[in-house]
């Protein structure tokens, strides 16, 4: 394993969630998650366009692991965003969060790589 390899990729799909998505992203941050000091992970935020877009700066404010991707061809289904996120993911393991308006428990990320 190289020093830049990623253990876990988390793909979060959001649509029109200016209030909910930041809460979800915080729940995936190192500040909130437990036992992730040695975990190499990334969070890919796949946003379907709406009239209430997240700022890429807001997404990256949760940590260097967070990246914002705006989908160019929106769809009523989250499938395209999930597939695009999976293609961009660099982790050995993949976690999908289809609804970006959900909080995760503080031990989720560490439990996924056991």
């Amino acid at each position: 394993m190289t020093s830049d390899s990623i253990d876990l990729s988390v793909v979060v799909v959001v649509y029109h969630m200016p209030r909910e998505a930041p809460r979800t992203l915080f729940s995936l941050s190192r500040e909130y998650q437990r036992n992730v000091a040695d975990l190499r992970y990334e969070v890919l935020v796949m946003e379907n366009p709406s009239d209430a877009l997240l700022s890429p700066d807001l997404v990256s404010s949760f940590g260097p692991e967070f990246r914002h991707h705006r989908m160019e061809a929106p769809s009523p289904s989250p499938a395209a965003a999930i597939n695009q996120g999976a293609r961009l993911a660099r982790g050995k393991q993949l976690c999908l969060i289809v609804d970006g308006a959900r909080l995760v428990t503080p031990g989720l990320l560490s439990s996924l790589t056991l």
Side-chain angles (χ1 to χ4, degrees), residues 22-71:
R23 295 173 184 170
T24 300
L25 299 179
F26 175 74
S27 76
L28 293 164
S29 72
R30 290 192 184 276
E31 185 176 343
Y32 182 81
Q33 286 293 305
R34 295 183 193 144
N35 305 315
V36 294
D38 296 331
L39 180 64
R40 292 169 297 226
Y41 74 97
E42 64 181 351
V43 177
L44 306 171
V45 178
M46 309 305 296
E47 184 167 26
N48 280 312
S50 73
D51 60 352
L53 292 170
L54 298 178
S55 153
D57 289 338
L58 171 72
V59 172
S60 64
S61 74
F62 293 100
E65 301 85 6
F66 289 76
R67 294 186 295 159
H68 181 264
H69 299 276
R70 182 172 172 241
M71 299 297 295

